Amino acid sequence: MKNIDSFTHVRGESLFVDDVITRKDTLYGLAFDSPKAHGKIKWVDYTKAETLEGVEKIFTYKDIVGKNQIGGILPDEPLWAEDEVHFWGQPIAFIVAKSEAIAKKARKLISIEIEELPVITTAKEAKEKGSFINAPRSFSLGNSTEAFKNCEYVFEGETFSNGQEHLYLETQGCYAIPQENGNIKLISSTQGPTAVQKIAARVLGVSMHKIEVDVTRLGGGFGGKEDQATPWAVMAAVATQHLNRPVKYILNRHDDLRMTGKRHPYSSFYKIGLTKDLKIKAFEVEFLQNSGAAADLSPAIAERTLFHATNSYFVPNVATTVYSCKTNLPPNTAFRGFGGPQGMFVIESAIAAVADKLNINRRLIQEANLFDEKDTFSFGQVATEVQAKKAWFSAKEQFELEKLETEIEIFNKENQLYKKGISLMPIAFGISFTNTPMNHARALIHIYQDGSVGVSTGACRNGPKCKHQNVASCPRHFRNCCQ
């Protein structure tokens, strides 16, 4: 299917939330957020801001008709902070004014006193202090403790994979418009319109059918607009509910960077055991996920980390545990791969460390352990239609890997200031949600009298798919970005 947006994207004609034509009575919102990472709110003085000409109203948790709760998986995240703040950038209030400039001026006039409390920023420290989002999750296969006794080589190590900013081209934003009979339309840049609808209804204290969510396009997402597009839309919706006026809120880049979560950093500890012929017989990992101040999607992301702990390798004895650690950072969230990259990174790091200690090419360990038909994943699923070895050795042959390695070795010996490297890594990645009901979809199809067709769906299009039938014929090998 051809990407119908390509033409307008290139010409700069595609409409995003900030391009939507606004009603002349539109108001503009801006969040007032915590200047401290953790503490008790002693007092907040809104007097000067409220009396500024052009300020319509400043909303706090006291103005919420429904529940001050936007948590999806766990109900642990308020829309606006009440008595405590748990991360720098946590929303406390929502300024609504006649212009964005007035709202910005008003924000500077708000005074606040916060009694600071201890701050936790790393997953290691959170584990030491027993600060967790929820109970740990574990997967196991075989008996790793006994298996280590029969291994020729046993190594232990630690890895760290840092966070990452989504940096979507369009920042978070929403335009809330009052409709007839108390209904509200939310034009949101979200990957999860149902989440926006559900949470908005919860906070406003109305039924979901009173909230309509329209997503023209994402303007980028990468997971950063799956759950975290919700609070900004709900803030605008609360203001519209009270004022019966359209309210627009587009975060500027600095606010977006400060107030939204990133890819989860992980500190991980592993133990790996191999036989003399380089077969991995035992593997244990403890993943420490830095979840931030609230759950967001962390439990689901942690679960997928476990699913990918052994990547594309068959390991008969595995014990993995993941801790979702509560810290004083913005709640971290979905990011492309959804916890899978953090899981695969550890076993690949372990293989690299073993290869380094044994002074061998790590590719030898990778090739010795690739999945075969009917092998079992660490979570118990038996693999069928396995293509791991076929994909690996086909790529090795097509790209003449050994020749490239030799060329690189010669280049590095002859050059002091410039060095080259090459790496090959297999990936096994599930294409469905682990929550089975989420693997369903519906659409409303209209076939008109002239034969044209209109399709309406509650799904969001996250990006174009490659039109090529196989990797060899795709000019952007392995990259899902062709039009």
Side-chain angles (χ1 to χ4, degrees):
M1 179 178 177
K2 186 178 179 180
N3 179 4
I4 60 174
D5 290 334
S6 298
F7 185 75
T8 53
H9 279 355
V10 172
R11 292 169 59 89
E13 295 175 353
S14 298
L15 297 179
F16 299 90
V17 177
D18 205 21
D19 297 316
V20 173
I21 297 174
T22 57
R23 282 178 20 180
K24 64 179 181 180
D25 59 342
T26 296
L27 299 172
Y28 297 84
L30 183 68
F32 169 70
D33 58 286
S34 172
K36 303 292 182 181
H38 190 203
K40 293 183 178 180
I41 299 175
K42 305 298 289 183
W43 53 263
V44 187
D45 186 359
Y46 298 106
T47 307
K48 291 181 180 179
E50 288 174 326
T51 56
L52 180 68
E53 185 177 354
V55 172
E56 292 290 320
K57 184 173 175 60
I58 298 177
F59 293 91
T60 68
Y61 72 92
K62 296 177 181 178
D63 298 296
I64 291 175
V65 176
K67 297 179 180 179
N68 183 28
Q69 184 53 244
I70 61 171
I73 293 178
L74 297 176
D76 65 346
E77 185 178 0
L79 177 66
W80 292 308
E82 298 186 18
D83 303 315
E84 284 192 21
V85 289
H86 296 277
F87 64 93
W88 178 44
Q90 182 174 356
I92 297 173
F94 188 59
I95 305 159
V96 178
K98 291 181 178 178
S99 72
E100 187 178 353
I102 294 172
K104 287 180 178 178
K105 187 175 181 180
R107 183 162 70 175
K108 293 180 180 179
L109 297 176
I110 298 174
S111 300
I112 186 170
E113 182 178 330
I114 296 174
E115 179 187 329
E116 294 190 57
L117 295 172
V119 173
I120 299 173
T121 57
T122 68
K124 283 185 181 180
E125 186 182 1
K127 185 173 185 288
E128 289 170 2
K129 295 183 177 179
S131 178
F132 302 110
I133 293 292
N134 59 348
R137 292 292 305 275
S138 298
F139 285 176
S140 64
L141 179 70
N143 188 328
S144 58
T145 304
E146 287 299 316
F148 278 118
K149 297 176 183 179
N150 300 314
C151 291
E152 181 75 16
Y153 310 110
V154 177
F155 299 101
E156 295 185 55
E158 176 184 349
T159 68
F160 176 71
S161 54
N162 213 334
Q164 184 181 4
E165 166 59 39
H166 303 85
L167 209 71
Y168 20 71
L169 290 177
E170 178 191 27
T171 59
Q172 303 278 12
C174 180
Y175 184 38
I177 310 165
Q179 307 288 289
E180 295 178 337
N181 303 315
N183 297 336
I184 296 176
K185 180 176 182 178
L186 302 176
I187 303 175
S188 173
S189 177
T190 178
Q191 290 174 259
T194 301
V196 172
Q197 181 189 39
K198 179 180 177 181
I199 302 302
R202 177 198 297 170
V203 176
L204 271 60
V206 300
S207 300
M208 286 177 66
H209 78 277
K210 304 289 285 184
I211 307 295
E212 176 189 348
V213 181
D214 187 2
V215 182
T216 304
R217 56 179 48 84
L218 295 183
F222 313 106
K225 295 182 175 183
E226 191 168 331
D227 257 31
Q228 300 218 351
T230 301
W232 326 111
V234 176
M235 289 180 198
V238 170
T240 294
Q241 181 187 41
H242 283 266
L243 301 173
N244 199 32
R245 297 266 297 274
V247 177
K248 183 177 181 180
Y249 182 28
I250 306 293
L251 276 69
N252 67 45
R253 182 63 70 184
H254 292 290
D255 284 357
D256 195 306
L257 289 168
R258 185 179 70 255
M259 299 167 74
T260 62
K262 324 300 178 191
R263 183 191 292 281
H264 290 78
Y266 273 63
S267 293
S268 304
F269 305 86
Y270 67 82
K271 183 178 181 181
I272 188 169
L274 300 87
T275 61
K276 199 165 187 176
D277 60 354
L278 303 180
K279 290 285 189 179
I280 303 173
K281 288 299 179 185
F283 187 56
E284 293 180 350
V285 191
E286 180 180 88
F287 298 101
L288 304 185
Q289 178 198 66
N290 190 329
S291 306
D296 195 271
L297 290 165
S298 293
I301 292 165
E303 186 178 74
R304 186 168 277 277
T305 295
L306 294 181
F307 282 123
H308 296 286
T310 54
N311 196 15
S312 303
Y313 310 110
F314 172 58
V315 184
N317 301 283
V318 184
T320 56
T321 301
V322 60
Y323 294 86
S324 292
C325 301
K326 185 173 182 177
T327 63
N328 298 113
L329 297 176
N332 287 313
T333 192
F335 202 121
R336 198 151 195 166
F338 205 78
Q342 292 96 321
M344 291 181 276
F345 176 75
V346 178
I347 193 165
E348 293 295 337
S349 298
I351 289 172
V354 171
D356 185 58
K357 288 181 172 68
L358 298 181
N359 195 28
I360 60 175
N361 191 320
R362 69 174 180 176
R363 184 159 46 79
L364 298 176
I365 302 175
Q366 292 173 307
E367 291 178 357
N369 293 279
L370 288 170
F371 252 90
D372 264 327
E373 192 72 12
K374 303 299 182 181
D375 280 343
T376 305
F377 286 101
S378 61
F379 46 89
Q381 180 179 339
V382 177
T384 59
E385 299 181 48
V386 177
Q387 301 293 321
K389 290 186 176 180
K390 181 181 178 182
W392 178 278
F393 290 105
S394 294
K396 183 178 173 181
E397 181 182 348
Q398 288 182 35
F399 291 100
E400 299 181 297
L401 182 63
E402 292 175 348
K403 179 183 175 183
L404 290 174
E405 287 179 333
T406 301
E407 291 174 353
I408 288 170
E409 186 178 354
I410 294 171
F411 178 90
N412 290 339
K413 284 180 180 179
E414 296 176 348
N415 291 271
Q416 285 280 41
L417 300 179
Y418 298 95
K419 300 293 182 182
K420 291 183 178 181
I422 191 167
S423 179
L424 191 61
M425 172 183 162
I427 291 178
F429 195 86
I431 59 170
S432 61
F433 291 103
T434 50
N435 183 3
T436 303
M438 294 179 70
N439 297 314
H440 298 196
R442 292 176 177 83
L444 176 63
I445 300 175
H446 290 89
I447 302 175
Y448 298 100
Q449 292 179 353
D450 64 354
S452 61
V453 176
V455 180
S456 300
T457 174
C460 288
R461 181 179 168 280
N462 287 325
K465 299 299 181 185
C466 179
K467 69 180 180 181
H468 300 91
Q469 297 302 309
N470 57 66
V471 171
S473 62
C474 176
R476 306 293 297 277
H477 298 295
F478 295 94
R479 303 179 73 176
N480 184 23
C481 59
C482 295
Q483 302 299 319

